[in-house]
Amino acid sequence: MRLRCAVLDDFQGVATESADWSVIEDQVEVVALREHLDGEDALATALADYDIVVTLRERVPFPGSLIARLPRLRLLVASGMRNSVIDYAAAEAHGVTVCGTASASTPPVELTWALLLGLARGIVEESEALRSGGPWQSTVGADLHDRRLGLLGLGKIGARVAQVGLAFGMQVAAWSQNLTKERAEEVGVELAASKEDLLATSDFVSVHLALGDRTRGLVGAAELALMKPDAYLVNTSRAAIVDQDALLAALHEGRIAGAGVDVFDVEPLPADHPMRTAPRLLATPHLGYVSRANYATYYGQAVEDIQAYLAGSPVRRLP
């Protein structure tokens, strides 16, 4: 009897086209699920008959309570090599092997700039006006050259964003709790004196931090109040780093010029969620990692993980 594998959150219906799954078809039946399963009960019911689950990023939590309700589960494959919503101890206790895949840093860098440029030049408003017979030129774009780009985080993604900012002729500064002057100089940017200084002096602020106890709620109402009224905030990192209610209030009250957001407290967003209709907001449905090359890596290496597990030699084990 073949094992059964569920591929979660295949929203675009491309998971089985992004890699060659035929190499395991004699041993594994692969089922791609296009609808998001919300809540532990729904997951426990839908996944009860699966031996392998491939999960996308950190959208679906696998706490110990869920793992205990999936007695057939033997292999859990997560895209990326870091996942904060899987209970690894529970997985080990229940005999579940957890493996990861590589994940490129370039797609979120590119989306960051898509959002930032879209905000700065009013791309959505102008395009919609042109297509609907609206006014010819209704916005005045914000310049990038010689403006200040403030980066919260200067890791692999933040550093790449910085390089693009420098290429645009921007003044680039960065801050994080552990960032050193040497690291900032290595990337060619200024080390901001503090988080508050970065927010108060930047024309564009972009978030590139990992989510943890020290970064959760790092940008709240007090921090947003420090920003210039004509400044923009971009978050393609993790939703919980920026207080969503505080951001909504700032956008509705016009205390910042706008925000570009790719990550949300609840995903997918409910139809009536206030982030869907907030003013001054350019929002995308968590597309940071969604690119052809990245999907080829995710699903191609997921197949490799399954092959290695079936051969008795798992690879890319997590954590």
Side-chain angles (χ1 to χ4, degrees), residues 260-276:
V261 175
D262 186 50
V263 287
F264 306 91
D265 288 347
V266 179
E267 296 185 7
L269 275 180
D272 60 350
H273 196 283
M275 291 293 278
R276 288 186 180 267

Side-chain angles (χ1 to χ4, degrees), residues 243-272:
D243 184 296
Q244 189 167 263
D245 291 336
L247 178 59
L248 282 167
L251 292 171
H252 279 283
E253 295 167 15
R255 288 189 273 112
I256 60 175
V261 175
D262 186 50
V263 287
F264 306 91
D265 288 347
V266 179
E267 296 185 7
L269 275 180
D272 60 350

Side-chain angles (χ1 to χ4, degrees), residues 90-170:
E92 182 177 6
H94 287 85
V96 178
T97 300
V98 184
C99 298
T101 74
S103 182
S105 61
T106 48
V109 172
E110 293 165 0
L111 185 73
T112 294
W113 280 102
L115 290 172
L116 195 152
L117 288 166
L119 286 167
R121 300 306 297 267
I123 298 299
V124 174
E125 300 94 319
E126 295 290 4
S127 177
E128 289 181 347
L130 186 145
R131 293 169 64 87
S132 64
W136 183 262
Q137 298 183 353
S138 58
T139 64
V140 178
D143 295 282
L144 271 59
H145 181 76
D146 209 30
R147 304 300 294 279
R148 187 173 177 85
L149 171 63
L151 302 175
L152 288 170
L154 197 64
K156 186 182 298 185
I157 294 175
R160 287 179 178 267
V161 171
Q163 291 167 357
V164 178
L166 293 169
F168 273 119
M170 302 184 78

Side-chain angles (χ1 to χ4, degrees), residues 44-128:
T45 299
L47 302 180
D49 295 329
Y50 288 95
D51 310 278
I52 303 168
V53 173
V54 177
T55 183
L56 197 58
R57 305 303 298 139
E58 296 172 310
R59 179 170 288 109
V60 177
F62 279 84
S65 55
L66 173 60
I67 293 172
R69 296 172 68 180
L70 300 174
R72 279 188 57 170
L73 183 63
R74 287 294 171 262
L75 175 64
L76 179 59
V77 179
S79 57
M81 290 301 294
R82 179 171 59 188
N83 193 302
S84 63
V85 297
I86 296 174
D87 187 331
Y88 296 107
E92 182 177 6
H94 287 85
V96 178
T97 300
V98 184
C99 298
T101 74
S103 182
S105 61
T106 48
V109 172
E110 293 165 0
L111 185 73
T112 294
W113 280 102
L115 290 172
L116 195 152
L117 288 166
L119 286 167
R121 300 306 297 267
I123 298 299
V124 174
E125 300 94 319
E126 295 290 4
S127 177
E128 289 181 347

Side-chain angles (χ1 to χ4, degrees), residues 148 154 172-176 178-185 188-194 197-198:
R148 187 173 177 85
L154 197 64
V172 184
W175 177 90
S176 70
N178 295 322
L179 183 60
T180 64
K181 184 178 181 181
E182 290 73 22
R183 169 60 177 167
E185 290 177 346
V189 306
E190 173 191 341
L191 174 63
S194 64
D197 174 73
L198 184 87

